[in-house]
Amino acid sequence: MNQLERKKSPAVMFRLLKRECQEHRGTFIYVPLGITAFLLAVMVFVLLSIHFGADTLHINVTTDRSDGVGVTEKSVVLGGYWEERLRAFAAMSPSKRESELARVQVAASSPLFLSLWLVIAFYLLGSLYDDRKDRSILFWKSMPVSDAMTVASKLLAGLIVAPLIYFLCSALLHLCLLTASSLSALSYDFEVSGTLWQSANVLGNWLTMAGFHLLTVVWCLPFYAWLLFTSAWARSVPLAIALAGPIAVGFIDYFLIPGNVIGAWIVEHSSPLGYREELGRDLMVASARMISVELIVSLAIAAGLIGGAVYLRRRADEI
């Protein structure tokens, strides 16, 4: 690559990424915005129910008696529940408050990040296959864009650009949650700034979640690379091929190799780090897990699969 091509590469990559966002705006933009809007609506409904709902919830319970069917009414007192929870939260130690709020933020973001994992998987699985299916590959092969850069743009769009949009929606959700909680707490004798916002440590939690995602990208790179390779290889039904390969290897490993080593490796490198009980509590623990021979082997396998995707892309034609 000469010096002129090096200067053009960032601009070309930017245009390729912009193209991916435009073509997949539904899963990259509309889906996270829709999930965020739904979660915000649920949050507003809950807070309004707490403040303007009935003080007592009446529940009718139908019971069978010897003299026939009877109805028993039970009452659950709601009035003062939110104030009681706020006072209990204020009485906690600072570290305990921070831990509780971090757990709340992770729980609030879980629908977004679970959908993100599915979006990345299905996007990569169709990224190179769809170009051949709709014959747009003929247009892009006529452009002065290398196959390696095209494959790299697909990988970057799925693993960096899309997660960035989901993280921005998650940050918006956290801020709205804290703002709504603060407005609700103003009705009571509650110190909002120090007790709630300082304990929330939103910047630290955002950096932690971003760190988990970057570690997950590296740890699960063989899985993502396999999806990309399958997308470049399959001539029909890429999902079936993507599933059949690991399942076949897992069966062979289970019956012929003691210890089910390969099957365990496939499962281990296909699930996000942040959702594992032993790793999700501490970013340092997850980082230490990355320093291993297993990771080097995994990255070598991923590099081979990505190289294979570039090779297949170079030789590919429309389906």
Side-chain angles (χ1 to χ4, degrees):
M1 183 182 292
N2 57 40
Q3 186 175 1
L4 180 60
E5 288 175 331
R6 289 195 188 96
K7 290 181 179 179
K8 289 183 177 180
S9 293
V12 172
M13 180 59 71
F14 175 79
R15 290 190 179 92
L16 289 173
L17 293 175
K18 183 178 179 180
R19 168 221 175 189
E20 295 301 317
C21 290
Q22 290 175 341
E23 291 189 352
H24 299 87
R25 64 172 65 91
T27 53
F28 281 16
I29 299 175
Y30 297 153
V31 169
L33 288 177
I35 294 174
T36 303
F38 173 76
L39 294 175
L40 288 175
V42 171
M43 177 186 68
V44 170
F45 174 78
V46 170
L47 289 175
L48 290 177
S49 298
I50 290 173
H51 281 280
F52 302 107
D55 289 336
T56 305
L57 176 65
H58 300 281
I59 304 175
N60 292 328
V61 181
T62 302
T63 57
D64 292 326
R65 302 177 184 171
S66 58
D67 58 346
V69 177
V71 177
T72 303
E73 185 178 273
K74 294 187 177 181
S75 299
V76 179
V77 178
L78 296 177
Y81 175 78
W82 181 238
E83 182 179 7
E84 180 182 339
R85 295 297 300 170
L86 287 174
R87 294 190 184 282
F89 178 78
M92 294 178 182
S93 64
S95 59
K96 179 66 174 176
R97 288 200 300 266
E98 186 173 334
S99 176
E100 288 293 322
L101 286 175
R103 189 177 294 110
V104 169
Q105 292 176 62
V106 170
S109 300
S110 292
L112 278 168
F113 292 127
L114 287 174
S115 63
L116 172 62
W117 188 86
L118 293 174
V119 163
I120 292 174
F122 281 99
Y123 164 75
L124 292 177
L125 192 57
S127 58
L128 299 175
Y129 173 80
D130 291 341
D131 283 356
R132 291 180 291 132
K133 185 178 180 181
D134 62 15
R135 306 185 70 182
S136 62
I137 186 174
L138 300 177
F139 169 77
W140 288 104
K141 279 186 171 292
S142 68
M143 301 294 289
V145 179
S146 68
D147 295 295
M149 185 167 289
T150 299
V151 172
S153 70
K154 307 284 187 180
L155 204 58
L156 288 175
L159 302 183
I160 302 298
V161 177
L164 178 61
I165 298 172
Y166 277 73
F167 271 99
L168 291 176
C169 289
S170 176
L172 174 64
L173 183 64
H174 293 166
L175 291 176
C176 290
L177 179 62
L178 286 170
T179 301
S181 300
S182 300
L183 293 174
S184 177
L186 291 176
S187 303
Y188 310 101
D189 185 16
F190 186 80
E191 206 278 300
V192 172
S193 176
T195 307
L196 191 60
W197 283 88
Q198 290 183 15
S199 300
N201 188 24
V202 287
L203 182 58
N205 288 328
W206 292 344
L207 291 176
T208 298
M209 290 193 302
F212 269 117
H213 173 72
L214 293 177
L215 292 180
T216 295
V217 166
V218 176
W219 187 256
C220 295
L221 196 57
F223 169 70
Y224 298 134
W226 165 249
L227 295 177
L228 198 64
F229 177 82
T230 303
S231 184
W233 177 34
R235 298 195 65 82
S236 63
V237 199
L239 178 61
I241 297 175
L243 293 175
I247 290 174
V249 172
F251 268 107
I252 295 172
D253 176 47
Y254 181 79
F255 288 107
L256 299 180
I257 302 176
N260 194 25
V261 177
I262 299 178
W265 180 88
I266 292 174
V267 173
E268 184 76 8
H269 288 269
S270 301
S271 58
L273 288 170
Y275 292 102
R276 300 181 192 175
E277 185 66 24
E278 73 277 11
L279 299 178
R281 292 189 298 265
D282 194 341
L283 184 60
M284 297 303 295
V285 174
S287 301
R289 179 72 178 276
M290 308 292 287
I291 306 174
S292 62
V293 176
E294 178 185 358
L295 179 64
I296 297 175
V297 174
S298 301
L299 292 178
I301 294 173
L305 290 170
I306 294 172
V310 174
Y311 173 77
L312 291 172
R313 173 75 178 188
R314 187 174 297 122
R315 295 171 56 88
D317 206 341
E318 78 273 17
I319 298 176

